[in-house]
Amino acid sequence: MHDDKTIRRDTVDLTESKETRKANLVVLAGQDIGRKYDVEGEEMFIGRNEICEIFIDDEDVSRTHAKIAATSEYVYIEDLGSTNGTLINGEKIKRHQLEDGDRIQVGNITVLKFNYVDEIEESFNEQLYNAANKDFLTQVYNKKYFIDRLKMEFSYSRRHGAPLSLMIFDIDFFKKINDTHGHLAGDALLKQFADIIEQTKRQEDLFARYGGEEFMLLLRDTDLETSISIAEKIRKKIATTTFHIEQNTVSMTVSIGVSVLVGEGCKTYKELIESADQQLYKAKEKGRNRVCYISDSKEPDLKVV
C-alpha cells in the first residue's frame, strides 16, 4: 500500500530579508511592457537620448528627462527640467524618494513601477516577461514583441533619416523535413536554427520568430551593403551546418529577403515588411538558398545575390 504520509523535515525559509532585496523598475505601460531595469550604480537616466539607461522613444519625453539615483539608505528620482514633467503616482515632482510600488510616468504612454524584489520575485517577473515576449519553442522574441519594437525603430529612423534594415528568413522545404522526420524533429531543428542565428547575428540586432519556419531580423542604423553582408554570412552558416535529429543528421538551407529603409519610400512599417516579404518570395522563386534585396530609395533595379 502506498504511504502518503507527509515527510517530517526542517523547513527552510525561502523568502529573503529586506537587506538582500534589490531595487528595480518594471515597464507597466508603453513600449516593451514587462521589461525590467535593475537600479545599479549611483545613478541612471531616463530619456529620449539613446545613451540613457532607460531609453524611451517618445516625443513627449525630453532627451534627458529624469535621473534615478541611489544612496546607501534610499533611492530617489529627480526631474531634470523636462518639458512635460515627471509624475509619481499622478503628482508632478521635482525630486522624490521612491517607495516600493511607486508608479513613475514620463510622457503620455510610459509608466514604470518601482519595486524592491528578492530572488523569488525577480525570477517570477522574469518568467512573466519571457512568457509575454518570447517564443515558447525557440526562446527568441515573438511576433508581438517584434512588431512593437519595429514600430518604434521605424518611427525613429523616419524621424532621424537613419537606415533601418529588415530581413525575413524562411527555411527551404521545411514541410518536407516535417513529413519525413516528424513534427518533433522539426521543432528540434527550429531550435537549432534559431540558436545559430542568435550566435551569428550582431548583439544589437533584434531576432524573432514570426511564425512557423519564418523568422525576422531587425538591424538598426544599418545600410544595404552591411545588411547584405550579414544576410550572406547567415545564409552560408546555415548551408554549411549539419543539424542533428536524434541519430540522424540533416542539412538545411534558408532563403532571405532584405528591405532597407533609407529615405521616405516606405510610409509605414507594414510596407517595410511587405517589401522584405516580396524579396523572400523572389529568393524562393529563383531557386532558394539565396538572398534577394531591395532599398526603398527609389532605385529602379532589383539587385539579387
Side-chain angles (χ1 to χ4, degrees):
M1 183 176 177
H2 179 65
D3 186 0
D4 62 354
K5 291 182 179 178
T6 302
I7 298 172
R8 183 181 294 278
R9 60 176 57 155
D10 291 337
T11 301
V12 178
D13 184 7
L14 297 177
T15 61
E16 301 283 347
S17 67
K18 186 162 185 178
E19 286 71 27
T20 61
R21 299 180 86 193
K22 297 189 293 186
N24 72 22
L25 297 160
V26 177
V27 180
L28 292 186
Q31 298 153 353
D32 211 358
I33 291 174
R35 181 169 181 178
K36 176 177 66 71
Y37 297 92
D38 291 325
V39 178
E40 297 177 327
E42 293 184 356
E43 57 186 29
M44 59 195 300
F45 293 88
I46 302 172
R48 192 161 41 86
N49 191 323
E50 288 181 80
I51 66 171
C52 290
E53 287 81 0
I54 303 177
F55 167 65
I56 300 174
D57 186 29
D58 177 5
E59 292 181 344
D60 293 338
V61 174
S62 296
R63 291 183 62 76
T64 309
H65 194 102
K67 177 177 74 174
I68 304 284
T71 71
S72 59
E73 297 179 355
Y74 59 87
V75 178
Y76 69 89
I77 184 169
E78 181 181 348
D79 183 81
L80 298 176
S82 66
T83 302
N84 296 312
T86 300
L87 280 68
I88 303 295
N89 303 322
E91 302 273 337
K92 273 194 178 181
I93 56 95
K94 294 288 186 183
R95 178 183 164 115
H96 174 84
Q97 180 178 328
L98 289 165
E99 301 290 341
D100 196 11
D102 277 349
R103 297 190 176 197
I104 304 165
Q105 181 177 336
V106 289
N108 285 311
I109 62 171
T110 303
V111 177
L112 304 110
K113 184 179 181 182
F114 178 77
N115 300 291
Y116 284 106
V117 294
D118 59 25
E119 192 173 315
I120 294 174
E121 291 168 315
E122 190 170 31
S123 175
F124 176 69
N125 289 337
E126 186 77 18
Q127 289 178 53
L128 284 181
Y129 179 77
N130 286 338
N133 298 300
K134 296 286 185 74
D135 173 60
F136 179 76
L137 174 65
T138 61
Q139 286 303 296
V140 301
Y141 285 110
N142 60 25
K143 180 178 179 179
K144 177 188 176 299
Y145 180 90
F146 185 86
I147 293 298
D148 287 344
R149 281 287 303 276
L150 174 58
K151 290 177 183 177
M152 181 180 76
E153 297 293 350
F154 187 88
S155 172
Y156 176 91
S157 293
R158 289 266 296 179
R159 190 164 62 244
H160 295 277
L164 180 67
S165 296
L166 176 65
M167 296 182 195
I168 301 183
F169 306 82
D170 194 274
I171 299 172
D172 296 327
F173 303 113
F174 188 72
K175 184 179 183 302
K176 184 178 178 181
I177 294 173
N178 268 338
D179 291 345
T180 303
H181 300 281
H183 287 278
L184 289 178
D187 286 349
L189 287 177
L190 287 173
K191 290 167 70 174
Q192 293 176 55
F193 175 83
D195 287 343
I196 288 172
I197 296 184
E198 279 279 24
Q199 294 162 17
T200 308
K201 74 177 184 65
R202 303 177 306 182
Q203 185 176 1
E204 65 269 27
D205 298 333
L206 177 65
F207 179 51
R209 185 181 182 192
Y210 201 64
E213 66 271 27
E214 197 167 79
F215 294 80
M216 285 194 170
L217 187 65
L218 189 65
L219 304 92
R220 186 185 224 203
D221 200 20
T222 304
D223 60 21
L224 182 61
E225 185 178 355
T226 304
S227 299
I228 294 167
S229 175
I230 292 170
E232 275 296 322
K233 181 181 178 182
I234 291 171
R235 183 193 65 78
K236 290 173 183 176
K237 180 70 174 176
I238 296 299
T240 56
T241 295
T242 300
F243 294 85
H244 299 277
I245 311 172
E246 297 178 346
Q247 305 303 318
N248 300 316
T249 58
V250 176
S251 296
M252 291 195 305
T253 60
V254 64
S255 298
I256 307 175
V258 181
S259 183
V260 183
L261 173 71
V262 292
E264 296 188 355
C266 288
K267 302 299 183 186
T268 68
Y269 76 91
K270 290 181 180 179
E271 289 183 18
L272 189 65
I273 293 175
E274 288 167 4
S275 178
D277 199 44
Q278 288 169 8
Q279 300 313 306
L280 173 64
Y281 180 78
K282 289 181 185 295
K284 288 188 170 292
E285 208 176 34
K286 292 177 178 293
R288 294 178 167 83
N289 188 26
R290 66 179 58 221
V291 178
C292 286
Y293 55 94
I294 193 168
S295 164
D296 79 338
S297 59
K298 300 179 181 176
E299 297 176 5
D301 298 320
L302 169 68
K303 303 182 180 69
V304 178
V305 176

